[in-house]
């Protein structure tokens, strides 16, 4: 075999990947910027731009020729970096092969859900509270009635997203089943190279192994929250007694010195 013959597969694979990158990169860049605008400055114009960019990007990913080129590059590559790059592209396009009407309906639903979440405000006694306002009440207020009212108001977004979210789930599952997967969840794990059985066995082992430690920690958190809010020692701790709307954040110690420091910092200025 001549030296040039040995380089031909690598050159062919690299050329295919370069062509794919040249095609996808500007579409993804435009889509990501549109998504940022919609999340941070919701408006009809930004929503339309997000939908247009999303449909263009998803349509490109759905191109069967692009998926075929990824498979071809993966088979032709003779070095691990090029082969892995081709494999990543193949996986990225494998779950996107949908008809144009399904792409458009899915992107428009995603856009609508983003708009709803962005516009939603918790309304309490006529006051419209932002997500930051909700966090502030749950993080600092000791008025249990206020906390519950604010927490419940923050959850009213559920009724607004119910119908479009269910439809989005249905469409995603429809697309996944057409590609031979049980549902969108199973497809997403598979294309992220995560074995579902392994994942849930791992989570079950972690749950069993950490159960005692978690029970002790949760009891300590509950006791701290009861003391902070003046609740009876036998009163169950509810979601609105915690420090964020989803119960995902650990409460800060009562004497946390950062609480006072935060009030003196121009967060935006420091970030800039």
């Amino acid at each position: 075999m001549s030296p040039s013959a040995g380089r031909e597969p690598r050159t062919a694979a690299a050329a295919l990947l370069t062509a794919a990158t040249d095609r996808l990169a500007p579409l993804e860049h435009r889509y990501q910027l549109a998504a940022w605008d919609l999340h941070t400055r919701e408006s009809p114009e930004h929503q339309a731009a997000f939908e247009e960019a999303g449909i263009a990007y998803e349509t490109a990913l759905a191109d069967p020729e692009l998926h075929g080129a990824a498979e071809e590059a993966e088979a032709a590559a003779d070095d691990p970096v090029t082969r892995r790059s081709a494999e990543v592209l193949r996986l990225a396009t494998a779950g996107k092969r949908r008809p144009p009407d399904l792409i458009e309906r899915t992107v428009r639903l995603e856009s609508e859900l983003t708009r709803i979440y962005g516009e939603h405000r918790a309304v309490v006694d006529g006051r419209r509270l932002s997500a930051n306002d909700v966090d502030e009440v749950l993080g600092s207020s000791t008025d249990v009635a206020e906390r519950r009212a604010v927490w419940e108001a923050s959850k009213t977004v559920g009724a607004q997203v119910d119908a479009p979210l269910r439809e989005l789930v249905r469409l995603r599952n429809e697309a996944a089943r057409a590609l031979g997967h049980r549902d969108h969840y199973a497809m997403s794990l598979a294309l992220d190279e995560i074995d579902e059985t392994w994942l849930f066995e791992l989570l079950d082992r972690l749950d069993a192994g950490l159960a005692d430690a978690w029970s002790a920690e949760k009891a300590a958190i509950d006791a701290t929250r009861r003391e902070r809010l003046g609740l009876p020692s036998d009163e169950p701790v509810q979601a609105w007694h915690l420090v964020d709307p989803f119960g995902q954040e650990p409460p800060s110690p009562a004497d946390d010195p950062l609480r006072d420091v935060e009030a003196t910092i121009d967060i935006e200025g420091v970030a800039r």
Side-chain angles (χ1 to χ4, degrees), residues 16-207:
L16 286 170
L17 291 172
T18 298
T21 300
D22 290 345
R23 178 184 179 186
L24 292 175
L27 293 173
E28 182 178 12
H29 183 252
R30 179 184 168 208
Y31 170 67
Q32 297 293 355
L33 287 179
W36 172 263
D37 286 338
L38 183 59
H39 279 89
T40 58
R41 295 177 292 170
E42 198 285 322
S43 71
E45 293 76 20
H46 286 139
Q47 185 172 359
F50 173 83
E51 292 174 1
E52 182 182 352
I55 290 169
Y57 181 48
E58 294 287 328
T59 299
L61 288 171
D63 185 353
E65 291 188 3
L66 179 62
H67 184 69
E71 293 180 317
E72 183 179 343
E74 187 177 359
D78 62 356
D79 72 275
V81 173
T82 302
R83 185 177 302 108
R84 178 56 178 165
S85 298
E87 183 181 28
V88 169
L89 178 60
R90 174 179 60 78
L91 293 168
T93 56
K96 300 294 187 179
R97 294 167 294 166
R98 300 163 292 170
D101 66 311
L102 188 55
I103 291 174
E104 182 172 341
R105 289 160 64 196
T106 299
V107 170
R108 294 196 187 283
L109 280 169
E110 292 169 345
S111 171
E112 178 65 8
L113 287 165
T114 300
R115 181 195 66 77
I116 293 172
Y117 279 113
E119 288 185 346
H120 179 264
R121 294 293 183 268
V123 180
V124 179
D125 297 331
R127 294 181 298 139
R128 288 172 53 83
L129 305 179
S130 69
N132 286 341
D133 294 329
V134 171
D135 287 342
E136 178 60 29
V137 169
L138 296 180
S140 62
S141 175
T142 56
D143 183 332
V144 176
E146 178 191 31
R147 297 177 66 88
R148 179 168 185 171
V150 168
W151 182 88
E152 290 180 343
S154 76
K155 299 304 178 182
T156 56
V157 69
Q160 298 177 36
V161 301
D162 179 50
L165 182 57
R166 288 177 184 273
E167 177 64 7
L168 178 61
V169 169
R170 188 187 69 78
L171 293 180
R172 286 177 170 177
N173 286 340
E174 175 186 320
R177 290 180 187 123
L179 294 172
H181 297 273
R182 184 193 69 224
D183 52 33
H184 179 78
Y185 181 80
M187 181 181 75
S188 297
L189 286 178
L191 297 181
D192 281 340
E193 301 174 283
I194 299 173
D195 180 85
E196 187 172 354
T197 300
W198 170 86
L199 175 62
F200 279 92
E201 287 178 349
L202 172 63
L203 294 174
D204 286 342
R205 292 199 306 273
L206 289 171
D207 182 49

